[in-house]
Amino acid sequence: MRPRRWPASWVGTRRLVLLCILFAGLLAAWQLGLHPAQLIPDQGGRALVAEFFHGAITPAFSYEADFVPEGTAPLLIKALQAALQTVLLAAAAVSLSIVGGLVLGFCGSTAWWSDELPGADTAARRALRRAGTPTLYAVTRLLIGLMRSTHELLWATLFLCAMGLTPLAAVIAIAIPFTGTFAKIFSEMIDEAPRDSAAALRMAGASPLQVFCFGLLPQAFPDLCSYTMYRFECALRSSAVLGFFGIPTIGQSITLSFENLYYREVWSYIYTLFILVVIVEWWGVALRRRLAE
């Protein structure tokens, strides 16, 4: 008697992976004691939630406070100023991250040293390639993993305590994990890029740095730009979140309005952040379309 075989469509790899994910989610919910009834707030909570979401329908165009100090900028101007501060902080952090990501991406990529070099290459360079570059690669990947393993909020807690509520501390807190993420993705994109130009340069006697800059980097440039725009969106959100620590971004404005129960003002700031993210997304789409031409 032949053993029963499950249909191939049922035991497919994708369905097996989805079932494993579902099982892991149910197991985690059971271990954490999660229950759907916990999603229903009490009477006071329902009133608070209703008031908060009612503000989404009627966002404020002026301050809700009864008294506003003389000389205070209008609410919409204040929202735009906070959005500008958010953009500046995110741009500074991403700029540092791109530079660090390219350097670590070079060291964490195998495309510039893993292929065989021309036969006329010296014995010293061959020995360096076989021993030194794998070591550099391993150390770099370890460093990238360490930088990515700690969230920017934890870095912010450290640097804001050490340096105070300064924009520099916030920029460094965002730049460290973003540098690790950029380095990982950049190195993978470069490794997956076509190597025809790199091989031609290598056969012509170009150095590893020249192969990387002129043979590999241009091939991966469109994908690198596309991913950079995505990470800039993430940096905007991280910059806004750091406002909850006291950094003067749009997140700080949201926090102050929320603490005073000015929910309509909160939604005015949230919509400003949403419009900002949409603009960056539109810019990224236009850039990707231009690079694809």
mmCIF file of all heavy atoms in Angstrom, residues 21 48 51 60 66 73 75 79 98 107 115 122-123 139 143 166 169 176-177 183 199 205 237 247 255 261:
data_model
loop_
_atom_site.group_PDB
_atom_site.id
_atom_site.type_symbol
_atom_site.label_atom_id
_atom_site.label_comp_id
_atom_site.label_asym_id
_atom_site.label_seq_id
_atom_site.Cartn_x
_atom_site.Cartn_y
_atom_site.Cartn_z
ATOM 1 N N ILE A 21 4.137 31.385 9.563
ATOM 2 C CA ILE A 21 3.979 32.747 10.068
ATOM 3 C C ILE A 21 2.696 32.874 10.878
ATOM 4 O O ILE A 21 2.671 33.497 11.955
ATOM 5 C CB ILE A 21 3.990 33.747 8.898
ATOM 6 C CG1 ILE A 21 5.374 33.772 8.225
ATOM 7 C CG2 ILE A 21 3.613 35.144 9.375
ATOM 8 C CD1 ILE A 21 5.427 34.634 6.980
ATOM 9 N N LEU A 48 -12.988 59.636 24.770
ATOM 10 C CA LEU A 48 -11.716 60.257 24.406
ATOM 11 C C LEU A 48 -11.341 59.933 22.965
ATOM 12 O O LEU A 48 -10.902 60.816 22.203
ATOM 13 C CB LEU A 48 -10.625 59.777 25.359
ATOM 14 C CG LEU A 48 -9.230 60.385 25.160
ATOM 15 C CD1 LEU A 48 -9.268 61.881 25.408
ATOM 16 C CD2 LEU A 48 -8.223 59.710 26.082
ATOM 17 N N GLU A 51 -13.554 61.915 20.595
ATOM 18 C CA GLU A 51 -13.153 63.325 20.530
ATOM 19 C C GLU A 51 -11.885 63.487 19.705
ATOM 20 O O GLU A 51 -11.743 64.440 18.927
ATOM 21 C CB GLU A 51 -12.938 63.864 21.942
ATOM 22 C CG GLU A 51 -12.588 65.340 21.978
ATOM 23 C CD GLU A 51 -12.374 65.840 23.401
ATOM 24 O OE1 GLU A 51 -12.552 65.035 24.348
ATOM 25 O OE2 GLU A 51 -12.020 67.029 23.557
ATOM 26 N N ALA A 60 -7.688 72.164 13.139
ATOM 27 C CA ALA A 60 -7.646 73.574 13.530
ATOM 28 C C ALA A 60 -6.840 74.389 12.527
ATOM 29 O O ALA A 60 -5.821 73.917 12.001
ATOM 30 C CB ALA A 60 -7.043 73.701 14.924
ATOM 31 N N ASP A 66 -7.442 79.644 24.785
ATOM 32 C CA ASP A 66 -8.164 80.908 24.978
ATOM 33 C C ASP A 66 -7.215 82.100 24.945
ATOM 34 O O ASP A 66 -7.594 83.189 24.508
ATOM 35 C CB ASP A 66 -8.922 80.875 26.307
ATOM 36 C CG ASP A 66 -10.003 79.798 26.329
ATOM 37 O OD1 ASP A 66 -10.531 79.487 25.244
ATOM 38 O OD2 ASP A 66 -10.278 79.253 27.418
ATOM 39 N N ALA A 73 3.442 83.199 16.226
ATOM 40 C CA ALA A 73 3.130 82.988 14.817
ATOM 41 C C ALA A 73 1.817 82.238 14.673
ATOM 42 O O ALA A 73 1.450 81.446 15.542
ATOM 43 C CB ALA A 73 4.254 82.201 14.145
ATOM 44 N N LEU A 75 -0.965 79.473 13.599
ATOM 45 C CA LEU A 75 -0.821 78.023 13.726
ATOM 46 C C LEU A 75 -0.250 77.397 12.453
ATOM 47 O O LEU A 75 0.650 76.563 12.523
ATOM 48 C CB LEU A 75 -2.176 77.390 14.054
ATOM 49 C CG LEU A 75 -2.187 75.857 14.139
ATOM 50 C CD1 LEU A 75 -1.309 75.368 15.280
ATOM 51 C CD2 LEU A 75 -3.618 75.335 14.304
ATOM 52 N N ALA A 79 3.202 75.395 11.983
ATOM 53 C CA ALA A 79 3.266 74.033 11.445
ATOM 54 C C ALA A 79 4.283 73.941 10.317
ATOM 55 O O ALA A 79 5.042 72.971 10.233
ATOM 56 C CB ALA A 79 1.885 73.603 10.958
ATOM 57 N N ILE A 98 24.561 58.615 4.048
ATOM 58 C CA ILE A 98 24.939 58.223 2.691
ATOM 59 C C ILE A 98 26.451 58.106 2.574
ATOM 60 O O ILE A 98 26.972 57.138 1.994
ATOM 61 C CB ILE A 98 24.389 59.234 1.671
ATOM 62 C CG1 ILE A 98 22.859 59.134 1.602
ATOM 63 C CG2 ILE A 98 24.990 59.004 0.294
ATOM 64 C CD1 ILE A 98 22.227 60.189 0.726
ATOM 65 N N CYS A 107 33.434 48.499 1.690
ATOM 66 C CA CYS A 107 34.147 47.472 2.462
ATOM 67 C C CYS A 107 33.288 46.215 2.662
ATOM 68 O O CYS A 107 33.844 45.118 2.806
ATOM 69 C CB CYS A 107 34.538 48.035 3.828
ATOM 70 S SG CYS A 107 35.667 49.446 3.752
ATOM 71 N N ASP A 115 36.238 38.425 -7.555
ATOM 72 C CA ASP A 115 36.602 37.866 -8.852
ATOM 73 C C ASP A 115 38.113 37.756 -8.988
ATOM 74 O O ASP A 115 38.871 38.503 -8.359
ATOM 75 C CB ASP A 115 36.035 38.721 -9.986
ATOM 76 C CG ASP A 115 34.519 38.721 -9.983
ATOM 77 O OD1 ASP A 115 33.935 37.738 -9.474
ATOM 78 O OD2 ASP A 115 33.926 39.701 -10.473
ATOM 79 N N THR A 122 50.519 41.096 -8.996
ATOM 80 C CA THR A 122 51.636 40.708 -8.153
ATOM 81 C C THR A 122 51.203 39.705 -7.097
ATOM 82 O O THR A 122 50.025 39.617 -6.726
ATOM 83 C CB THR A 122 52.225 41.956 -7.464
ATOM 84 O OG1 THR A 122 51.225 42.532 -6.625
ATOM 85 C CG2 THR A 122 52.656 42.984 -8.502
ATOM 86 N N ALA A 123 52.188 38.958 -6.582
ATOM 87 C CA ALA A 123 51.898 37.966 -5.552
ATOM 88 C C ALA A 123 51.416 38.630 -4.265
ATOM 89 O O ALA A 123 50.581 38.087 -3.543
ATOM 90 C CB ALA A 123 53.143 37.129 -5.280
ATOM 91 N N VAL A 139 34.712 42.014 9.225
ATOM 92 C CA VAL A 139 34.667 43.046 10.267
ATOM 93 C C VAL A 139 33.625 44.107 9.915
ATOM 94 O O VAL A 139 32.868 44.576 10.778
ATOM 95 C CB VAL A 139 36.057 43.676 10.455
ATOM 96 C CG1 VAL A 139 35.985 44.886 11.393
ATOM 97 C CG2 VAL A 139 37.033 42.647 11.003
ATOM 98 N N LEU A 143 30.269 45.217 11.946
ATOM 99 C CA LEU A 143 30.005 46.599 12.345
ATOM 100 C C LEU A 143 28.643 47.064 11.830
ATOM 101 O O LEU A 143 27.890 47.726 12.550
ATOM 102 C CB LEU A 143 31.115 47.504 11.804
ATOM 103 C CG LEU A 143 30.952 49.004 12.074
ATOM 104 C CD1 LEU A 143 30.920 49.287 13.568
ATOM 105 C CD2 LEU A 143 32.091 49.789 11.407
ATOM 106 N N THR A 166 20.036 68.966 21.725
ATOM 107 C CA THR A 166 20.624 69.708 20.616
ATOM 108 C C THR A 166 20.320 68.995 19.302
ATOM 109 O O THR A 166 20.204 67.761 19.271
ATOM 110 C CB THR A 166 22.145 69.821 20.779
ATOM 111 O OG1 THR A 166 22.727 68.511 20.750
ATOM 112 C CG2 THR A 166 22.488 70.480 22.110
ATOM 113 N N ALA A 169 22.790 66.116 18.459
ATOM 114 C CA ALA A 169 22.547 64.820 19.098
ATOM 115 C C ALA A 169 21.486 64.036 18.343
ATOM 116 O O ALA A 169 21.600 62.820 18.157
ATOM 117 C CB ALA A 169 22.138 65.031 20.550
ATOM 118 N N ILE A 176 23.434 57.017 12.835
ATOM 119 C CA ILE A 176 24.133 55.760 13.127
ATOM 120 C C ILE A 176 23.379 54.549 12.587
ATOM 121 O O ILE A 176 23.930 53.771 11.789
ATOM 122 C CB ILE A 176 24.401 55.638 14.642
ATOM 123 C CG1 ILE A 176 25.440 56.666 15.080
ATOM 124 C CG2 ILE A 176 24.897 54.224 14.976
ATOM 125 C CD1 ILE A 176 25.717 56.655 16.567
ATOM 126 N N PRO A 177 22.118 54.315 12.966
ATOM 127 C CA PRO A 177 21.431 53.136 12.408
ATOM 128 C C PRO A 177 21.159 53.269 10.916
ATOM 129 O O PRO A 177 21.177 52.260 10.188
ATOM 130 C CB PRO A 177 20.130 53.066 13.213
ATOM 131 C CG PRO A 177 19.905 54.442 13.704
ATOM 132 C CD PRO A 177 21.251 55.020 13.926
ATOM 133 N N ALA A 183 24.589 50.969 4.370
ATOM 134 C CA ALA A 183 25.741 50.140 4.017
ATOM 135 C C ALA A 183 25.304 48.736 3.610
ATOM 136 O O ALA A 183 25.810 48.179 2.625
ATOM 137 C CB ALA A 183 26.714 50.080 5.191
ATOM 138 N N ALA A 199 34.558 44.002 -14.831
ATOM 139 C CA ALA A 199 35.516 43.012 -15.327
ATOM 140 C C ALA A 199 36.455 43.627 -16.359
ATOM 141 O O ALA A 199 37.664 43.337 -16.367
ATOM 142 C CB ALA A 199 34.767 41.829 -15.922
ATOM 143 N N GLY A 205 43.686 46.612 -15.624
ATOM 144 C CA GLY A 205 44.632 46.939 -14.555
ATOM 145 C C GLY A 205 44.155 47.986 -13.583
ATOM 146 O O GLY A 205 44.966 48.549 -12.842
ATOM 147 N N ARG A 237 10.089 60.641 9.341
ATOM 148 C CA ARG A 237 9.285 60.109 10.440
ATOM 149 C C ARG A 237 10.113 59.989 11.724
ATOM 150 O O ARG A 237 9.626 60.291 12.817
ATOM 151 C CB ARG A 237 8.692 58.768 10.039
ATOM 152 C CG ARG A 237 7.628 58.881 8.948
ATOM 153 C CD ARG A 237 6.938 57.555 8.719
ATOM 154 N NE ARG A 237 7.800 56.597 8.029
ATOM 155 C CZ ARG A 237 7.874 56.492 6.713
ATOM 156 N NH1 ARG A 237 7.144 57.282 5.937
ATOM 157 N NH2 ARG A 237 8.659 55.584 6.151
ATOM 158 N N ILE A 247 13.162 67.598 20.944
ATOM 159 C CA ILE A 247 13.796 68.226 19.800
ATOM 160 C C ILE A 247 12.738 69.042 19.054
ATOM 161 O O ILE A 247 11.626 68.557 18.810
ATOM 162 C CB ILE A 247 14.414 67.168 18.864
ATOM 163 C CG1 ILE A 247 15.494 66.380 19.608
ATOM 164 C CG2 ILE A 247 15.014 67.814 17.625
ATOM 165 C CD1 ILE A 247 16.659 67.208 20.079
ATOM 166 N N THR A 255 3.173 66.757 20.394
ATOM 167 C CA THR A 255 3.179 66.389 21.811
ATOM 168 C C THR A 255 2.566 67.479 22.685
ATOM 169 O O THR A 255 1.729 67.206 23.557
ATOM 170 C CB THR A 255 4.620 66.108 22.267
ATOM 171 O OG1 THR A 255 5.173 65.059 21.479
ATOM 172 C CG2 THR A 255 4.656 65.709 23.728
ATOM 173 N N LEU A 261 -4.727 68.565 25.283
ATOM 174 C CA LEU A 261 -6.006 68.066 24.768
ATOM 175 C C LEU A 261 -6.537 68.896 23.605
ATOM 176 O O LEU A 261 -7.748 68.962 23.369
ATOM 177 C CB LEU A 261 -7.051 68.004 25.884
ATOM 178 C CG LEU A 261 -6.661 67.202 27.139
ATOM 179 C CD1 LEU A 261 -7.808 67.204 28.138
ATOM 180 C CD2 LEU A 261 -6.248 65.781 26.782
#
